[in-house]
Amino acid sequence: MTRRASAHWGRRRRRVRRTATVLTILLAVGALLGWLVYHATRPEVRRPGEALSDITENLSRDLPAEAPAVRFADVTEAAGLADFVTFTGARTSQLPEDMGSGAAWGDVDNDGDDDLLLVAAGGALTLAADERAPSLLYENVGDGRFQRMESFPELRILGMAAAWADYDLDGWLDLAVSGYRTLLLFHNEQGRLVPGPALPVPNGYWAGLAWGDFDGDRDPDLYVCGYVRYEEDAGTTRRASDQYGTSVPYTLNPASFEPEANLLLVNQGDGVFEEMALLHGVSNPEGRSLGALWHDFDDDGRLDLYVANDISDNALYLNRGDTFEDAGLTAWVADYRGAMGLAVGDWNRDGDDDLFVTHWLAQENALYDSRLRQRPDPAAPLTFSDLAAPLGLGQIALPMVGWGTDFADLDADGWLDLVVANGSTLETKEEPRSLVPQPAMLLWSEAGRAFHDLAALAPDVARPRVGRGLALSDVDGDGDLDLVVVDLAAGATLLANETEQGHWLALRLRDRPRPGVLGFADGAVATARLGDVFLRRTVGGGSYLSQGSRVLHFGLGEAERIDGLAVRWPGGKTASYGPLEADTRWEISEGDAVPRRVEAAAPSSSALDERERVLAFWENQRAAMDAMKRDGDLERAVKLFRRALELDPAHEDSRYYLANCLAALGDPQAALAELDTMRRLSPGSHRAHKQWGVLRAVTARDADDLAAAAAALERALAINREETGSLLVLGEIALLQGRDDLARQRLEWACRTNPRATGGFFLRGYLAWKAGDASRAGELLEAARATLGEDWKPKGAAAEGDVASRMHRETTPLSPYWRGWDGGTEPAAAFAALEPALADLRPRS
């Protein structure tokens, strides 16, 4: 090489060295700056028990002045829930061990308050079945306390989700439970759960559950989320991948396994379900699904379906009646992230329901704001817009792994807040390796302008947990929403809401899916009006592997009442109601003209011991009977009967006579509601079913009311066949339904079993006269006259009066016409009033 060439290469080497040195320095500086920025801005990681005062101070400086001083208290032990354990054994770093389990609130015993099922994740995959932690059912015994229902079957599974629904439409909530290689159905036999029919499903890894009547036949169908086709560890835990600087075993990465298709179990009635997901286009075979919810997103009266998927597109299936439209991409909610929890609610009070989705680490949570009401063309496709980032819900979630979630007005200021349970899926470095705990979030809505996490102000909420399931209910009946969080590393935590509240209103809806049955109104929409503000709530919701209360909670702020309430029932019927007082629990059954106030138990009664409670009950019961029978003061009797029922809600006499007093005071719907409660608490009570059937028949407005009345009376007759009063009313109902042959048969039976059944002979005479047999009609009128005795004298026709008065005075729908009969045996005259009345009374539909 020449000297000139050698000098050239020397200069080139020096330039390369200088460049490399500069790049090294720049990289070092960049790394240092990045480290400094990260440590200056990263969220603080807290361990259980570590002081929170400093982050409380930092948070408080940035809060609006009107932010509430949130207070939640851990009442788990006092409530009797501390014996629940989620997980036993040592983790073996396999996916089914870490996805967690949920909680489900449901009134299993029909006593008006929410009971609680806690699903256990079970434990390590290496454990025998009898070594796993059991799932437990707790009865709400009042005063915020629970006790285990020992009759619940032992359930030691690798559990995930639970969801209540009345699948056989008998008026009692049944239960579905999912898990790893598990999908079970339990039937509710009047407050006692027993194994139900086997479901037609393959062996799979089943996660979220969602009940919904998507086909409009009034019975609930079950959507089941399939997660992955997991292959149990065969030494693969030695393989790992790097995720955000942490080595994650192959067996904890859902991408390592093929997705499991979802199931749509269509309810065929009589406990039979048929799997039709593929047929309806909702199997979502690429989904790795963890959660789903049924909800009418486009407000067309049909339930749509949203599915949360892990590391794959979420799915939105819009219900088009005979098929589903996969609208996830066109609606901008396909959301390719690791989605877990779902919540739905109208956060900005614009009249349509929005969707909140929780995600995995380093992925912002999403708030999909519905543009349904903002569409320039009502026929335009439904779309959503993710507003999480501008509302303060995005970046705050980056260090978290979000799971259970729900909308709830935590301070009753009239704006929906959000609650999120967090807990990492990354392992600690200690041995044996556990999962990293994280604090939950209480995301308070600043009048719809922004959300602020107030969890740090409530130490019992901010205490880090390996959170998974979350569900809300007013556990202690004080008008605010409490929450239960399932901790995969421990058990369950019940957090009682002690935040200062605005005014509130609680509403329980009961639909009528078939005659004689009160359902649970899943999918019903209630909209309360406060001036020009509308608060929209829907029965049913989402969360993660969990189910919240069916009781709708409205925060009203400073308003002391709502100005109106609109309800859209399952099946499409609508009803409107007038002003309702705040700070009150209300119940409405489909078809009721007036909502029923649900009295809360007197706070003082919780301090009474059993002897004092019994003495106080009888003091009020005797005073009520005296007021009713001796004094005729029915209003005072109603108050005293209600006090007695606060002390003993299951006492039949108190509730029966309370219903009679309410009927006499002109409140038939309240009377029916009390008898409804009596029927639920005492299914074998003949008089409860009979009186409910009679009152429903007397006040019937349509064919459904008459059918419901007939079903109740048939139940009463089945309980006590020696009491034949039900037969007479059943005959009258058949006559009102235009079923003359059935009416004739029932009335003949009534007369045969009770020869003094005046109404039976009279109405049989009418049927004979209507059939053209005037001679037979006369004979039957003479028989009717004979039942009255020789000394009987006619009192003249009873005045029509109002419905409530007739209901109190008369015992059957047609009794005014045979009680007001003058005793004459000439058919045309005897039936002159009845003939046109039947034409008016018969329902048009």
Side-chain angles (χ1 to χ4, degrees), residues 119 496 629 669 698 736 743 796:
V119 182
K629 291 187 173 181
Q669 299 304 328
V698 170
L736 288 168

Side-chain angles (χ1 to χ4, degrees), residues 447-704:
R449 294 185 294 271
F451 288 87
H452 303 269
D453 184 12
L454 306 186
L457 303 178
D460 284 345
V461 176
R463 184 174 299 116
R465 299 176 177 86
V466 185
R468 292 297 187 263
L470 175 146
L472 282 80
S473 173
D474 181 5
V475 172
D476 45 14
D478 62 354
D480 54 34
L481 289 169
D482 313 297
L483 58 109
V484 64
V485 179
V486 180
D487 183 347
L488 183 57
T493 303
L494 181 61
L495 295 163
N497 188 351
E498 298 179 351
T499 305
E500 184 176 347
Q501 300 286 304
H503 292 293
W504 55 271
L505 183 145
L507 177 64
R508 184 188 299 272
L509 298 176
R510 304 299 300 268
D511 67 331
R512 299 185 187 276
R514 69 180 184 188
V517 173
L518 278 180
F520 298 90
D522 290 337
V525 180
T527 304
R529 181 173 61 83
L530 295 174
D532 58 357
V533 172
F534 294 87
L535 306 178
R536 179 183 170 104
R537 303 288 187 268
T538 303
V539 181
S543 197
Y544 173 74
L545 309 179
S546 301
Q547 186 178 50
S549 176
R550 285 175 164 81
V551 177
L552 303 180
H553 178 269
F554 297 85
L556 307 180
E558 297 180 357
E560 297 182 353
R561 69 174 191 175
I562 62 172
D563 298 315
L565 179 73
V567 177
R568 186 177 74 194
W569 295 99
K573 292 183 179 179
T574 61
S576 297
Y577 305 91
L580 296 177
E581 294 177 23
D583 306 324
T584 304
R585 294 163 188 80
W586 296 93
E587 181 171 304
I588 305 175
S589 296
E590 186 176 7
D592 286 357
V594 180
R596 178 174 73 94
R597 187 191 301 269
V598 180
E599 299 293 337
S604 59
S605 67
S606 63
L608 300 177
D609 61 28
E610 187 58 28
R611 181 177 178 277
E612 292 170 331
R613 188 184 296 270
V614 170
L615 290 174
F617 166 79
W618 282 110
E619 180 181 350
N620 283 282
Q621 174 70 5
R622 293 189 186 103
M625 295 296 290
D626 287 343
M628 179 182 68
K629 291 187 173 181
R630 185 188 65 195
D631 304 330
D633 189 347
L634 299 186
E635 291 185 352
R636 183 168 180 268
V638 165
K639 293 178 181 178
L640 290 166
F641 280 129
R642 282 181 168 154
R643 287 180 194 169
L645 287 167
E646 290 172 5
L647 296 159
D648 186 357
H651 200 276
E652 284 194 36
D653 280 353
S654 295
R655 204 167 296 277
Y656 181 77
Y657 289 119
L658 170 59
N660 288 344
C661 289
L662 290 168
L665 288 170
D667 194 348
Q669 299 304 328
L672 287 165
E674 293 297 340
L675 291 166
D676 259 333
T677 302
M678 187 175 170
R679 291 197 300 163
R680 295 198 300 269
L681 295 177
S682 303
S685 171
H686 165 269
R687 62 178 175 172
H689 291 287
K690 178 187 175 184
Q691 189 71 346
W692 189 94
V694 170
L695 298 187
R696 175 51 74 193
V698 170
T699 59
R701 294 182 297 274
D702 56 30
D704 288 343

